[in-house]
Amino acid sequence: MATMTESPEKAAVGRFGAYGGRYVPETLMAALEELEAAYAKAQADPEFQAQVDALLRDYVGRPTPLYHAKRLSESLGGAKIYLKREDLLHTGAHKINNCIGQGLLAQRMGKRRIIAETGAGQHGVATATVCALLGMECVVYMGEEDMRRQELNVLRMRLLGAEVRGVSSGSKTLKDAINEAMRDWVTNVRTTHYLLGSVLGAHPYPIMVRDFQRVISREARKQILDQEGRLPNAIVACVGGGSNAIGAFYEFIPDANVRLIGVEAGGRGMGLGEHAARFQGGVPGVLQGTYSYVLQDEDGQICLTHSVSAGLDYASVGPEHAALHDSGRAEYVSATDKSALDATVTLARTEGILPALESAHAIAEAIRIAPTMDRHDILVVNLSGRGDKDMGILSRELNLKGA
Amino acid sequence: MPIRFAGKPGLVAYLTAGDPDLPTTREIAIAAIDAGADVIELGVPFSDPLADGPVIQRASERAVKGGTKLSDVLSLAALLRAERPQAGLVIFSYYNPILRYGLERFCSAAQQAGVDGVLVTDMIVEEADEYLEMLRRYELAPIFLAAPTSPDERLKQIAAVSGGFVYAISRVGITGTQSALASDASQLVERLRRYTDLPIAVGFGVSNADHFAAVGEFADAAVIGSAIVAIIERSEPQEAPSSIARFIKGLRQPALQAR
């Protein structure tokens, strides 16, 4: 029988505690290693960092404000609520932070073709935008169910010159779009960069995407110290794959007194298939390249999920969140479809801000806990995206009347 | 029992277990072995087969819908082992169903069922420490994929930990048929040869007698998957075993191949 020649130290690469790693077809390994090396080199290169920073400032619109939501805070009668305004970024969500980084990286690697998956369409739009900016070919995979409920974003992507390929397998949502993007990547791996949109997938994606999103907490931490002279009591962010949440949490992880609260999609209820609350209904497993909490049945088949927000409608969660969950450093709760819709209306009417349905889950949790907190307490909510894309769903769910 | 390739080249036949149903998969496997397949790969259906093309995706979906579980696939393997002691039996799966079943529990059950080897599509050498330990404890051959994109250093690592045979992927991409066999395949086999004496089986896109003969020129065996699954898909269940037998015989005697 053969024996191991080397016990590769690489075994621990890309791990967050027990989670993460690389579970991919062998065909992709060379590409992942190439990406890992190119990313390490770019990270160490001040010129690359300067390129990213310049585009984030001049094109994307960073830094985003940290806004004290006075009327919302007063109406709830508890903690002071601040909103980190990622919704004000070009293309309307935090997704562009990562797309700028990976787009420039792909350019350095000489890859001219970009593929991406998208759920709510925000990552797809951000990817199409960056591809237009950098003159690259762009193909976006999107579940047909998501295309239907986020049609505006489909149109935006097409206008930007991207090809949107509908995915009709499985639940026709984000998970299925990732499967199809991975099939494309396996096939075109020599010429194509897979611009993964969340802290998911095989190493180095969870680390790389987190690094490109860390700017959220880097700014927020400085801003709250400038504005309040102290750290907040808690940070709240919605968690689909978890990229805005990890970006909002990351620089606060060493600040043990700052609670980190992730909000998953509670959907219509806690039955399997009715929600996307991985930390309540999931068990550790391997999906799409990484080991993390996964909503699955007793045979290891991946469960269907439901959320009113396409961006949170996914059966697994970023492996770093799994580690933060197990260590207790972050808490994960869920908000239902209904409470997210209610939160949307509340924020719109108290602050004149229309949140994305994803971000509305974080607002819902803030609305729930703020009244239980002291008036001197500070709650920072990452408002990861704006809600224009959701007008179709909102008008149906809230019975809004048009012309 | 060691995996042996009697034919030249040898033939590995992939079947998605439970497509169209488990009794039919059993009959097809028996027919395939009797028609000249050296090894049967029993595919464990999975909800998210991201390395597979549309044909195997659809088969997997049908089998999952039919309720086929990993434990059913192991029971099927035990039946086949009893009926055809000489055939090689390999469990072909994505990792998650095995993890959920329990890695050690799976290995133990696979050994009891008489399985020879295990191939996990999304398992790479770097992640395989515990996996290899368990497979070895239960005397199961670890079969790994080697890809045209794998640099020599990786091929060396793959060869070092493999057992049974090494599965060389003929081209980049997902499973599925193709009209011509890529030149990638022979180059990969040549590179792999430097690192292993194990048989090398070439798969992905091998779908007819011409491909089969071409693979025989440079490799020990060919893996045929999507072409077989596609025949099962378009056959009535009761016809499927004889259709597959005819197809397999036709690989070695092209005149017999139903076209």
Side-chain angles (χ1 to χ4, degrees), chain A residues 355-382:
Chain A
L357 278 171
E358 289 75 18
S359 321
H361 285 71
I363 300 292
E365 177 63 10
I367 290 171
R368 194 181 71 82
I369 63 173
T372 69
M373 297 168 75
D374 190 87
R375 293 185 73 88
H376 301 291
D377 288 347
I378 300 167
L379 198 52
V380 172
V381 182
N382 194 35

PDB file of all heavy atoms in Angstrom, chain A residues 355-382:
ATOM      1  N   PRO A 355     -33.753  50.476   2.836  1.00  0.00           N
ATOM      2  CA  PRO A 355     -32.688  49.461   2.876  1.00  0.00           C
ATOM      3  C   PRO A 355     -32.973  48.308   1.921  1.00  0.00           C
ATOM      4  O   PRO A 355     -34.131  48.022   1.611  1.00  0.00           O
ATOM      5  CB  PRO A 355     -32.756  48.956   4.321  1.00  0.00           C
ATOM      6  CG  PRO A 355     -34.206  49.063   4.674  1.00  0.00           C
ATOM      7  CD  PRO A 355     -34.734  50.278   3.923  1.00  0.00           C
ATOM      8  N   ALA A 356     -31.915  47.639   1.472  1.00  0.00           N
ATOM      9  CA  ALA A 356     -32.107  46.370   0.754  1.00  0.00           C
ATOM     10  C   ALA A 356     -32.790  45.396   1.704  1.00  0.00           C
ATOM     11  O   ALA A 356     -32.603  45.473   2.924  1.00  0.00           O
ATOM     12  CB  ALA A 356     -30.761  45.818   0.314  1.00  0.00           C
ATOM     13  N   LEU A 357     -33.548  44.440   1.164  1.00  0.00           N
ATOM     14  CA  LEU A 357     -34.227  43.471   2.031  1.00  0.00           C
ATOM     15  C   LEU A 357     -33.230  42.662   2.856  1.00  0.00           C
ATOM     16  O   LEU A 357     -33.523  42.254   3.977  1.00  0.00           O
ATOM     17  CB  LEU A 357     -35.107  42.534   1.199  1.00  0.00           C
ATOM     18  CG  LEU A 357     -36.469  43.112   0.830  1.00  0.00           C
ATOM     19  CD1 LEU A 357     -37.172  42.202  -0.179  1.00  0.00           C
ATOM     20  CD2 LEU A 357     -37.333  43.300   2.082  1.00  0.00           C
ATOM     21  N   GLU A 358     -32.036  42.442   2.302  1.00  0.00           N
ATOM     22  CA  GLU A 358     -30.994  41.756   3.070  1.00  0.00           C
ATOM     23  C   GLU A 358     -30.666  42.576   4.314  1.00  0.00           C
ATOM     24  O   GLU A 358     -30.756  42.105   5.452  1.00  0.00           O
ATOM     25  CB  GLU A 358     -29.731  41.568   2.212  1.00  0.00           C
ATOM     26  CG  GLU A 358     -29.868  40.544   1.084  1.00  0.00           C
ATOM     27  CD  GLU A 358     -30.676  41.057  -0.099  1.00  0.00           C
ATOM     28  OE1 GLU A 358     -30.850  42.297  -0.225  1.00  0.00           O
ATOM     29  OE2 GLU A 358     -31.159  40.220  -0.893  1.00  0.00           O
ATOM     30  N   SER A 359     -30.286  43.842   4.072  1.00  0.00           N
ATOM     31  CA  SER A 359     -29.887  44.720   5.174  1.00  0.00           C
ATOM     32  C   SER A 359     -31.033  44.940   6.159  1.00  0.00           C
ATOM     33  O   SER A 359     -30.803  45.190   7.349  1.00  0.00           O
ATOM     34  CB  SER A 359     -29.428  46.069   4.618  1.00  0.00           C
ATOM     35  OG  SER A 359     -28.681  45.893   3.426  1.00  0.00           O
ATOM     36  N   ALA A 360     -32.258  44.864   5.659  1.00  0.00           N
ATOM     37  CA  ALA A 360     -33.429  45.063   6.522  1.00  0.00           C
ATOM     38  C   ALA A 360     -33.483  44.005   7.627  1.00  0.00           C
ATOM     39  O   ALA A 360     -34.061  44.241   8.688  1.00  0.00           O
ATOM     40  CB  ALA A 360     -34.709  45.025   5.692  1.00  0.00           C
ATOM     41  N   HIS A 361     -32.873  42.839   7.402  1.00  0.00           N
ATOM     42  CA  HIS A 361     -32.805  41.829   8.464  1.00  0.00           C
ATOM     43  C   HIS A 361     -31.965  42.341   9.636  1.00  0.00           C
ATOM     44  O   HIS A 361     -32.264  42.061  10.794  1.00  0.00           O
ATOM     45  CB  HIS A 361     -32.220  40.513   7.935  1.00  0.00           C
ATOM     46  CG  HIS A 361     -33.180  39.734   7.086  1.00  0.00           C
ATOM     47  ND1 HIS A 361     -33.545  40.143   5.820  1.00  0.00           N
ATOM     48  CD2 HIS A 361     -33.860  38.574   7.319  1.00  0.00           C
ATOM     49  CE1 HIS A 361     -34.404  39.254   5.310  1.00  0.00           C
ATOM     50  NE2 HIS A 361     -34.607  38.297   6.200  1.00  0.00           N
ATOM     51  N   ALA A 362     -30.886  43.072   9.319  1.00  0.00           N
ATOM     52  CA  ALA A 362     -30.048  43.644  10.381  1.00  0.00           C
ATOM     53  C   ALA A 362     -30.807  44.762  11.085  1.00  0.00           C
ATOM     54  O   ALA A 362     -30.760  44.886  12.319  1.00  0.00           O
ATOM     55  CB  ALA A 362     -28.736  44.161   9.795  1.00  0.00           C
ATOM     56  N   ILE A 363     -31.527  45.572  10.316  1.00  0.00           N
ATOM     57  CA  ILE A 363     -32.342  46.640  10.914  1.00  0.00           C
ATOM     58  C   ILE A 363     -33.389  46.026  11.855  1.00  0.00           C
ATOM     59  O   ILE A 363     -33.636  46.528  12.951  1.00  0.00           O
ATOM     60  CB  ILE A 363     -33.046  47.471   9.807  1.00  0.00           C
ATOM     61  CG1 ILE A 363     -32.018  48.134   8.872  1.00  0.00           C
ATOM     62  CG2 ILE A 363     -33.974  48.517  10.422  1.00  0.00           C
ATOM     63  CD1 ILE A 363     -31.182  49.214   9.501  1.00  0.00           C
ATOM     64  N   ALA A 364     -33.994  44.922  11.418  1.00  0.00           N
ATOM     65  CA  ALA A 364     -35.017  44.264  12.237  1.00  0.00           C
ATOM     66  C   ALA A 364     -34.449  43.859  13.597  1.00  0.00           C
ATOM     67  O   ALA A 364     -35.098  44.024  14.636  1.00  0.00           O
ATOM     68  CB  ALA A 364     -35.580  43.045  11.507  1.00  0.00           C
ATOM     69  N   GLU A 365     -33.237  43.328  13.588  1.00  0.00           N
ATOM     70  CA  GLU A 365     -32.618  42.923  14.852  1.00  0.00           C
ATOM     71  C   GLU A 365     -32.307  44.149  15.714  1.00  0.00           C
ATOM     72  O   GLU A 365     -32.498  44.123  16.942  1.00  0.00           O
ATOM     73  CB  GLU A 365     -31.343  42.109  14.580  1.00  0.00           C
ATOM     74  CG  GLU A 365     -30.560  41.689  15.814  1.00  0.00           C
ATOM     75  CD  GLU A 365     -31.311  40.755  16.768  1.00  0.00           C
ATOM     76  OE1 GLU A 365     -32.397  40.258  16.404  1.00  0.00           O
ATOM     77  OE2 GLU A 365     -30.796  40.538  17.891  1.00  0.00           O
ATOM     78  N   ALA A 366     -31.860  45.223  15.069  1.00  0.00           N
ATOM     79  CA  ALA A 366     -31.588  46.455  15.817  1.00  0.00           C
ATOM     80  C   ALA A 366     -32.883  46.973  16.458  1.00  0.00           C
ATOM     81  O   ALA A 366     -32.886  47.388  17.624  1.00  0.00           O
ATOM     82  CB  ALA A 366     -30.989  47.507  14.893  1.00  0.00           C
ATOM     83  N   ILE A 367     -33.961  46.905  15.701  1.00  0.00           N
ATOM     84  CA  ILE A 367     -35.253  47.367  16.222  1.00  0.00           C
ATOM     85  C   ILE A 367     -35.675  46.503  17.415  1.00  0.00           C
ATOM     86  O   ILE A 367     -36.251  46.984  18.388  1.00  0.00           O
ATOM     87  CB  ILE A 367     -36.326  47.338  15.101  1.00  0.00           C
ATOM     88  CG1 ILE A 367     -36.029  48.442  14.080  1.00  0.00           C
ATOM     89  CG2 ILE A 367     -37.734  47.456  15.666  1.00  0.00           C
ATOM     90  CD1 ILE A 367     -36.887  48.386  12.820  1.00  0.00           C
ATOM     91  N   ARG A 368     -35.316  45.224  17.355  1.00  0.00           N
ATOM     92  CA  ARG A 368     -35.685  44.312  18.439  1.00  0.00           C
ATOM     93  C   ARG A 368     -34.875  44.581  19.712  1.00  0.00           C
ATOM     94  O   ARG A 368     -35.423  44.585  20.816  1.00  0.00           O
ATOM     95  CB  ARG A 368     -35.487  42.863  17.982  1.00  0.00           C
ATOM     96  CG  ARG A 368     -36.137  41.816  18.886  1.00  0.00           C
ATOM     97  CD  ARG A 368     -35.872  40.406  18.382  1.00  0.00           C
ATOM     98  NE  ARG A 368     -34.479  40.016  18.566  1.00  0.00           N
ATOM     99  CZ  ARG A 368     -33.979  39.558  19.713  1.00  0.00           C
ATOM    100  NH1 ARG A 368     -34.744  39.436  20.778  1.00  0.00           N
ATOM    101  NH2 ARG A 368     -32.701  39.221  19.797  1.00  0.00           N
ATOM    102  N   ILE A 369     -33.566  44.801  19.538  1.00  0.00           N
ATOM    103  CA  ILE A 369     -32.736  44.874  20.754  1.00  0.00           C
ATOM    104  C   ILE A 369     -32.508  46.296  21.277  1.00  0.00           C
ATOM    105  O   ILE A 369     -32.230  46.465  22.459  1.00  0.00           O
ATOM    106  CB  ILE A 369     -31.372  44.160  20.589  1.00  0.00           C
ATOM    107  CG1 ILE A 369     -30.513  44.820  19.504  1.00  0.00           C
ATOM    108  CG2 ILE A 369     -31.569  42.677  20.317  1.00  0.00           C
ATOM    109  CD1 ILE A 369     -29.100  44.252  19.437  1.00  0.00           C
ATOM    110  N   ALA A 370     -32.623  47.298  20.410  1.00  0.00           N
ATOM    111  CA  ALA A 370     -32.323  48.664  20.866  1.00  0.00           C
ATOM    112  C   ALA A 370     -33.134  49.072  22.106  1.00  0.00           C
ATOM    113  O   ALA A 370     -32.567  49.641  23.049  1.00  0.00           O
ATOM    114  CB  ALA A 370     -32.529  49.660  19.722  1.00  0.00           C
ATOM    115  N   PRO A 371     -34.447  48.762  22.116  1.00  0.00           N
ATOM    116  CA  PRO A 371     -35.234  49.178  23.293  1.00  0.00           C
ATOM    117  C   PRO A 371     -34.775  48.500  24.588  1.00  0.00           C
ATOM    118  O   PRO A 371     -35.085  48.987  25.671  1.00  0.00           O
ATOM    119  CB  PRO A 371     -36.667  48.739  22.941  1.00  0.00           C
ATOM    120  CG  PRO A 371     -36.681  48.590  21.461  1.00  0.00           C
ATOM    121  CD  PRO A 371     -35.311  48.137  21.091  1.00  0.00           C
ATOM    122  N   THR A 372     -34.091  47.369  24.485  1.00  0.00           N
ATOM    123  CA  THR A 372     -33.632  46.668  25.691  1.00  0.00           C
ATOM    124  C   THR A 372     -32.312  47.237  26.187  1.00  0.00           C
ATOM    125  O   THR A 372     -31.805  46.809  27.222  1.00  0.00           O
ATOM    126  CB  THR A 372     -33.427  45.162  25.421  1.00  0.00           C
ATOM    127  OG1 THR A 372     -32.290  45.013  24.550  1.00  0.00           O
ATOM    128  CG2 THR A 372     -34.650  44.537  24.756  1.00  0.00           C
ATOM    129  N   MET A 373     -31.735  48.167  25.425  1.00  0.00           N
ATOM    130  CA  MET A 373     -30.415  48.699  25.781  1.00  0.00           C
ATOM    131  C   MET A 373     -30.559  50.083  26.396  1.00  0.00           C
ATOM    132  O   MET A 373     -31.591  50.741  26.288  1.00  0.00           O
ATOM    133  CB  MET A 373     -29.525  48.745  24.532  1.00  0.00           C
ATOM    134  CG  MET A 373     -29.263  47.346  23.949  1.00  0.00           C
ATOM    135  SD  MET A 373     -28.509  47.378  22.298  1.00  0.00           S
ATOM    136  CE  MET A 373     -26.828  47.837  22.691  1.00  0.00           C
ATOM    137  N   ASP A 374     -29.481  50.514  27.030  1.00  0.00           N
ATOM    138  CA  ASP A 374     -29.450  51.812  27.693  1.00  0.00           C
ATOM    139  C   ASP A 374     -29.355  52.929  26.664  1.00  0.00           C
ATOM    140  O   ASP A 374     -28.818  52.744  25.570  1.00  0.00           O
ATOM    141  CB  ASP A 374     -28.220  51.828  28.616  1.00  0.00           C
ATOM    142  CG  ASP A 374     -28.241  53.029  29.525  1.00  0.00           C
ATOM    143  OD1 ASP A 374     -28.849  52.929  30.610  1.00  0.00           O
ATOM    144  OD2 ASP A 374     -27.662  54.070  29.135  1.00  0.00           O
ATOM    145  N   ARG A 375     -29.833  54.116  27.027  1.00  0.00           N
ATOM    146  CA  ARG A 375     -29.779  55.247  26.100  1.00  0.00           C
ATOM    147  C   ARG A 375     -28.353  55.666  25.766  1.00  0.00           C
ATOM    148  O   ARG A 375     -28.110  56.345  24.773  1.00  0.00           O
ATOM    149  CB  ARG A 375     -30.538  56.445  26.681  1.00  0.00           C
ATOM    150  CG  ARG A 375     -32.032  56.203  26.777  1.00  0.00           C
ATOM    151  CD  ARG A 375     -32.750  57.462  27.236  1.00  0.00           C
ATOM    152  NE  ARG A 375     -32.804  58.468  26.172  1.00  0.00           N
ATOM    153  CZ  ARG A 375     -33.783  58.520  25.252  1.00  0.00           C
ATOM    154  NH1 ARG A 375     -34.747  57.626  25.271  1.00  0.00           N
ATOM    155  NH2 ARG A 375     -33.791  59.469  24.344  1.00  0.00           N
ATOM    156  N   HIS A 376     -27.415  55.287  26.634  1.00  0.00           N
ATOM    157  CA  HIS A 376     -26.014  55.641  26.351  1.00  0.00           C
ATOM    158  C   HIS A 376     -25.312  54.569  25.519  1.00  0.00           C
ATOM    159  O   HIS A 376     -24.194  54.759  25.077  1.00  0.00           O
ATOM    160  CB  HIS A 376     -25.250  55.874  27.652  1.00  0.00           C
ATOM    161  CG  HIS A 376     -25.851  56.959  28.478  1.00  0.00           C
ATOM    162  ND1 HIS A 376     -25.819  58.293  28.102  1.00  0.00           N
ATOM    163  CD2 HIS A 376     -26.557  56.907  29.633  1.00  0.00           C
ATOM    164  CE1 HIS A 376     -26.464  59.009  29.004  1.00  0.00           C
ATOM    165  NE2 HIS A 376     -26.930  58.200  29.950  1.00  0.00           N
ATOM    166  N   ASP A 377     -25.953  53.446  25.341  1.00  0.00           N
ATOM    167  CA  ASP A 377     -25.354  52.376  24.536  1.00  0.00           C
ATOM    168  C   ASP A 377     -25.355  52.753  23.058  1.00  0.00           C
ATOM    169  O   ASP A 377     -26.212  53.519  22.606  1.00  0.00           O
ATOM    170  CB  ASP A 377     -26.133  51.066  24.722  1.00  0.00           C
ATOM    171  CG  ASP A 377     -25.896  50.442  26.094  1.00  0.00           C
ATOM    172  OD1 ASP A 377     -24.943  50.886  26.781  1.00  0.00           O
ATOM    173  OD2 ASP A 377     -26.660  49.539  26.477  1.00  0.00           O
ATOM    174  N   ILE A 378     -24.401  52.180  22.350  1.00  0.00           N
ATOM    175  CA  ILE A 378     -24.289  52.474  20.913  1.00  0.00           C
ATOM    176  C   ILE A 378     -24.410  51.179  20.118  1.00  0.00           C
ATOM    177  O   ILE A 378     -23.751  50.184  20.418  1.00  0.00           O
ATOM    178  CB  ILE A 378     -22.932  53.134  20.590  1.00  0.00           C
ATOM    179  CG1 ILE A 378     -22.786  54.453  21.358  1.00  0.00           C
ATOM    180  CG2 ILE A 378     -22.793  53.369  19.087  1.00  0.00           C
ATOM    181  CD1 ILE A 378     -21.370  54.994  21.344  1.00  0.00           C
ATOM    182  N   LEU A 379     -25.247  51.246  19.110  1.00  0.00           N
ATOM    183  CA  LEU A 379     -25.471  50.096  18.241  1.00  0.00           C
ATOM    184  C   LEU A 379     -25.100  50.529  16.820  1.00  0.00           C
ATOM    185  O   LEU A 379     -25.643  51.513  16.320  1.00  0.00           O
ATOM    186  CB  LEU A 379     -26.964  49.754  18.312  1.00  0.00           C
ATOM    187  CG  LEU A 379     -27.487  48.419  17.866  1.00  0.00           C
ATOM    188  CD1 LEU A 379     -26.735  47.289  18.525  1.00  0.00           C
ATOM    189  CD2 LEU A 379     -28.974  48.341  18.205  1.00  0.00           C
ATOM    190  N   VAL A 380     -24.179  49.820  16.200  1.00  0.00           N
ATOM    191  CA  VAL A 380     -23.845  50.123  14.802  1.00  0.00           C
ATOM    192  C   VAL A 380     -24.460  49.051  13.911  1.00  0.00           C
ATOM    193  O   VAL A 380     -24.255  47.852  14.135  1.00  0.00           O
ATOM    194  CB  VAL A 380     -22.314  50.165  14.582  1.00  0.00           C
ATOM    195  CG1 VAL A 380     -21.988  50.277  13.090  1.00  0.00           C
ATOM    196  CG2 VAL A 380     -21.690  51.331  15.340  1.00  0.00           C
ATOM    197  N   VAL A 381     -25.247  49.467  12.944  1.00  0.00           N
ATOM    198  CA  VAL A 381     -25.837  48.517  11.994  1.00  0.00           C
ATOM    199  C   VAL A 381     -25.174  48.721  10.641  1.00  0.00           C
ATOM    200  O   VAL A 381     -25.066  49.858  10.157  1.00  0.00           O
ATOM    201  CB  VAL A 381     -27.363  48.756  11.834  1.00  0.00           C
ATOM    202  CG1 VAL A 381     -27.952  47.730  10.873  1.00  0.00           C
ATOM    203  CG2 VAL A 381     -28.048  48.694  13.184  1.00  0.00           C
ATOM    204  N   ASN A 382     -24.711  47.632  10.053  1.00  0.00           N
ATOM    205  CA  ASN A 382     -24.157  47.765   8.717  1.00  0.00           C
ATOM    206  C   ASN A 382     -25.299  47.754   7.703  1.00  0.00           C
ATOM    207  O   ASN A 382     -25.942  46.726   7.487  1.00  0.00           O
ATOM    208  CB  ASN A 382     -23.165  46.634   8.412  1.00  0.00           C
ATOM    209  CG  ASN A 382     -22.351  46.945   7.177  1.00  0.00           C
ATOM    210  OD1 ASN A 382     -22.021  48.107   6.925  1.00  0.00           O
ATOM    211  ND2 ASN A 382     -22.026  45.932   6.404  1.00  0.00           N
TER     212      ASN A 382
END
